[in-house]
Amino acid sequence: MRWQLVVCCGPWLLLLSHGVLSRPTRDSRAVTFVRNDRSGPVRSRSRRSWTSAESFISCNLPLSQSEHGVLDENTHETGFHGDDGSSFTLTWVGDGTGVILLLSTISAPIDSFFEGGSSRLYRSIDYGKSFRDISSLINNTFIRKDFAVSAGPGNSQQVILTADLPITETPGGIIFTSDDAGLSFKSITLPFHPAQPITFHFQIPSYLVTISIDGGLWISLDFGNRWMKIHEGVNSFMWGSDITLYFSYSPKGTVEADRRGDLSLKRTKDLGKTFSTIAQNIFSFGYIGGFLFTSVMAKMGSPRVLYVSSDHGDSFNKALLPSASTEQFYSVLDGDEYMIFMHVDTPGDGLIRTVISFDRGGEWRLLTKPDNVDCGKGMNNCNLHIHGETSLYNGITPMLPLSDPAAIGLVIAHGSTGDSISSMRPDVYISRDGGYTWKRTLKGPHHYSILDSGGLIVAVESRRDQQVNSIKFSTDEGQCWKSYNFTDHPIFLAGLASEPGAKTMNISVWGYRPEDDDQPMWVAVTIDFQHLLTRECGDLDYVEWLAHSTGGGVSEANGCVLGYKETFRRLRSQSVCRNGRDYVVSRKHTPCQCTIHDYMCDYGYYRHENSSECVKETGLSDKPKESCENGEEVEPQTSGYQKIPSDKCEGGFTPKLPNARNCGNNSLNRILAYVGVGIAVLLLITITVIVVRRVSAIQRTPDYHFSALQLNEDNQSTRQDSGSLANSNQGSCETDSDDVLIE
């Protein structure tokens, strides 16, 4: 079961996601820490006066003397003396290798007489317990901060660094490549200056692509040793399936062609040997979940509309979404072989609430107020609301909500209770059932991380102007906590870092503190918890957990969502043991018997309020008209039901379907979702994604209509009513953009 959390605003919606605001692409292998003030003790970016609705005391357990001794022996502190870098970027290389490359950079001030800056490169082979300066391996070359360290996909050992060189003084750039996780580097002079980080193919790490500063599209098939320019005038590119490469370009090479919608979209299936133009007059494009999207302007000054292809660009269909002006954008938030979850930027009314869906958007509900929270007197509607990107950007919270596929059902987030999100000082909440129920677990903002596949959670309080020296950890999914003082010399906290995948038991606390000369020094403290949790988990430590169970007994329908049940083998919350790096999530799928709720209403039908039956809409023409769906020709005189896409139920309720005859495979066999809000981002936490497909009764080419979300204040749920960013040579980001952005 894949879970996603959707937090709503606007009239009702705000969509949450992992990552940093203004970053169009996000690398889960890298994390950047920035020091606020290089000239002395750190001061916060902004001062905020906090208010609190009530007092709260978390469950704290004492740390035994033996536990303290074990942690002392396995805590490693590194001080980066003499390194005045303003930012540190950590990149994990490979999976389970323990290798971290650390890039420290400092850029010259804008008003400085000197250009460029300086950087240092460090390497760790023990998960950050120690670092060695390896700057000499790259000839102490200044590495571009915005390009950072590019690591190859999966468990590859490939690494690329891009030198920061004066463009006017050198004919081409220089990159340093490593195929042994940074143990050695090779210097390569490029025949061009890259305008963006070099991009790896998602499966073949020797295939590289980038755009030069003059708009050339360059490709290498041997890990950067030789390069070929395969096209000119390129604006952006994106890998598709297999070795297919899509890119937008300006036929005339005009400036700001993307802003005028004057780009063409090309495709090459043979790495630049042949090309085909598949779309014209586009603003931008994206590829996700097997779908290719283009944002198109029909004529100069007109709003943009979205076109979608499910056959890799051979044909496109117009999506019936609201058009977008030049000040707005489309965002493709998530996708798979069944559906696409999309956001269309529209003005909101400032009220932010959180709703969640467990059936891909079929039904929405507000988050239940935790039992250990009191909303206070005079509060008509009291629910939990999760803080997202906006709160992170404004400094209200230090982190976004967190979950990991290895930690089934576990969600950690900052939140507040009431009718909507408040400006009160947020606390930390945890759900262990994917968002059905929540518990307040820590008072005030914290940095937090999931370790050992959810068997261990760590947190450090975010104190803004105050130094910290204590870390909290929990072995029972946040019900109770123990505290450990990891240093005798407190630091200003920059953040936490752990290997992606939540398998590790090492956590690094990053920060800085003044040295004797009052200059700040970067400090990393890495704590290894595997010597504290020494017992390997056994069969008795795990329990079978039925997801979506309402606790209503063993009825056939209990736990059924989208036509099937999912049972997971997960760690008991009271078991103090170690899952280990080899732990694999165990799940079992069981189909459910079909009911009327496994079907949505067909075109021309709707569900009357408080009824499950699909009723025909009045006022529609009764004249039979043909339409294509799934490659077959059907007539609109249906029984009124369509099976929900991705629903896996069997037997049971089966509505009578129309007779069909083959009419070719020219329909778009997918679903799109629309949610209109002001800001959107995505976090893979609990199940969501929504939409309704309506087959047009007017024309052979299918149209796609989209559901709206309606909030029902009476039952605190919402219901359906009928009614990926390309790599660009622009180097700029849309501050309201998401993972895959279609302008």
Side-chain angles (χ1 to χ4, degrees), residues 70-109:
V70 170
L71 290 176
D72 280 346
E73 293 177 358
N74 293 279
T75 297
H76 310 267
E77 180 172 319
T78 301
F80 295 86
H81 300 276
D83 192 322
D84 56 356
S86 58
S87 68
F88 271 32
T89 299
L90 286 73
T91 302
W92 279 265
V93 183
D95 294 329
T97 63
V99 176
I100 302 174
L101 291 181
L102 171 62
L103 179 65
S104 166
T105 57
I106 177 173
S107 301

Side-chain angles (χ1 to χ4, degrees), residues 59 94 104 108 126 145-146 198 226 259 285 287 313 388 396 417 423-424 498 505 573 576 627 688 693 717:
C59 173
S104 166
D126 51 13
K145 174 183 175 181
D146 51 340
I198 293 172
R226 292 171 295 179
R259 294 300 171 190
F285 75 97
Y287 182 88
I396 298 175
T417 55
S423 60
M424 294 188 301
S498 61
M505 297 192 71
S573 61
V576 182
S627 181
T688 68
R693 172 181 177 186
S717 66

